[in-house]
Amino acid sequence: MRTAVSALLVIAALLLAAIAGPSLWLQRNVVDGPGFTKLAGPLGSNSEFQEGLSALAADQVTGSLDLPPQLNELAGAIITSAARSLHTDPGYEAAWTKTLQRSHELTFNAAGNQDVQGDLKLDIAPLVELVAANVSANLGVPLPTPKDVVISVDQPKVAQALPLTTKLGGWSGWMVFIAVDLLALGMIVARRHALTLILGGAGLAAVALLWLLGSGWVESALVGMAVGPEVAQQFGIQLGALARASWQGGITVTFVIAAVMMAAGGAALMLKRRRTT
């Protein structure tokens, strides 16, 4: 009876852990604003993404101008040049970080609004301000910059996943706590503690392997879900690669914990055998 109860507790712990691990990663790297900013920060130095972002910023600055027709072409050329060199500006990193922070807040606020469906919010006002400041310095004329430059990117599949992502992230801490408690309880109830520890470690390694195989699928899914403008597609492609690389750390740690559990169980089993001989 104790063996059956122990097996059920360990299996339940492993099943819950399989969900809790990715949920915890989502909470720390997607739902949490600073975590998302850290995850997506390297996108700002990606050359392909920079090109699309620069073009987007240039369009927004040009659209805010109210100049005579004869000056539009000249101003447009200066703006385009300034936007292309945007990533070399000393203030670019701070502006990109602020863009991510504002966009994350807008997107997740929209995710909690039932009237908003399919929109991801991108606020590039900090980048537009940076381009406008450089152009103003070259022209000697201050350019008006709007307080917010919010671009709605129609991404229905991504937007539909945000509420579930938020819920899973919010529950992640409890799921981890319950999974650890169930596993510990399964070890306590077991008749053969060493063998249960080995099997529990093997099960945890299987969960980590499942995550490893699933990480490639998640990256492909993010790429497939990104539609619309080129900059949105590049965001999905590059973010998928960053997410997969970030998740590798959690998978490695889980493999290490599984190996330690199996090694401890094996050592305890050998020690017990020596005592009985």
Side-chain angles (χ1 to χ4, degrees):
M1 182 64 179
R2 286 177 58 184
T3 301
V5 172
S6 174
L8 288 174
L9 287 171
V10 171
I11 291 171
L14 293 174
L15 290 175
L16 190 57
I19 302 172
S23 298
L24 186 62
W25 182 89
L26 285 172
Q27 175 63 29
R28 291 180 174 178
N29 297 279
V30 177
V31 179
D32 180 65
F36 175 78
T37 301
K38 182 179 179 180
L39 174 68
L43 274 174
S45 58
N46 180 276
S47 57
E48 292 183 67
F49 183 69
Q50 281 177 356
E51 186 177 344
L53 199 61
S54 298
L56 194 60
D59 288 343
Q60 293 299 319
V61 175
T62 303
S64 67
L65 294 179
D66 185 19
L67 298 174
Q70 59 270 25
L71 294 179
N72 271 337
E73 186 174 346
L74 174 62
I78 295 175
I79 290 170
T80 299
S81 176
R84 285 177 178 171
S85 60
L86 179 64
H87 63 281
T88 63
D89 191 285
Y92 172 72
E93 186 175 348
W96 171 239
T97 298
K98 190 178 292 186
T99 294
L100 288 174
Q101 293 170 341
R102 295 172 68 157
S103 300
H104 181 275
E105 183 178 355
L106 283 171
T107 296
F108 274 83
N109 284 344
N113 185 348
Q114 298 299 321
D115 296 328
V116 179
Q117 296 182 356
D119 283 344
L120 296 185
K121 304 294 184 179
L122 184 65
D123 187 354
I124 62 169
L127 296 174
V128 169
E129 290 174 5
L130 196 59
V131 173
N134 289 335
V135 174
S136 297
N138 289 329
L139 290 178
V141 178
L143 296 183
T145 55
K147 181 180 179 182
D148 302 307
V149 185
V150 180
I151 299 169
S152 293
V153 183
D154 189 38
Q155 302 283 339
K157 292 182 180 179
V158 177
Q160 288 169 9
L162 289 180
L164 178 60
T165 298
T166 304
K167 288 180 181 178
L168 286 175
W171 296 338
S172 62
W174 282 107
M175 286 192 287
V176 171
F177 177 76
I178 294 172
V180 171
D181 284 355
L182 287 174
L183 185 60
L185 189 58
M187 299 296 174
I188 294 171
V189 172
R191 286 183 180 275
R192 303 178 67 179
H193 300 291
L195 182 59
T196 303
L197 193 59
I198 293 172
L199 294 176
L204 191 60
V207 169
L209 181 60
L210 181 65
W211 291 342
L212 182 61
L213 297 174
S215 64
W217 176 85
V218 170
E219 181 181 4
S220 300
L222 281 173
V223 172
M225 291 167 75
V227 296
E230 179 66 24
V231 66
Q233 294 181 37
Q234 282 298 322
F235 189 85
I237 292 170
Q238 302 302 331
L239 188 61
L242 290 172
R244 184 176 185 180
S246 171
W247 182 226
Q248 296 306 306
I251 294 173
T252 301
V253 169
T254 305
F255 272 125
V256 170
I257 294 174
V260 169
M261 288 175 63
M262 288 187 286
L269 196 60
M270 287 188 292
L271 184 60
K272 183 179 180 181
R273 287 178 178 174
R274 285 180 182 177
R275 287 177 178 176
T276 56
T277 56

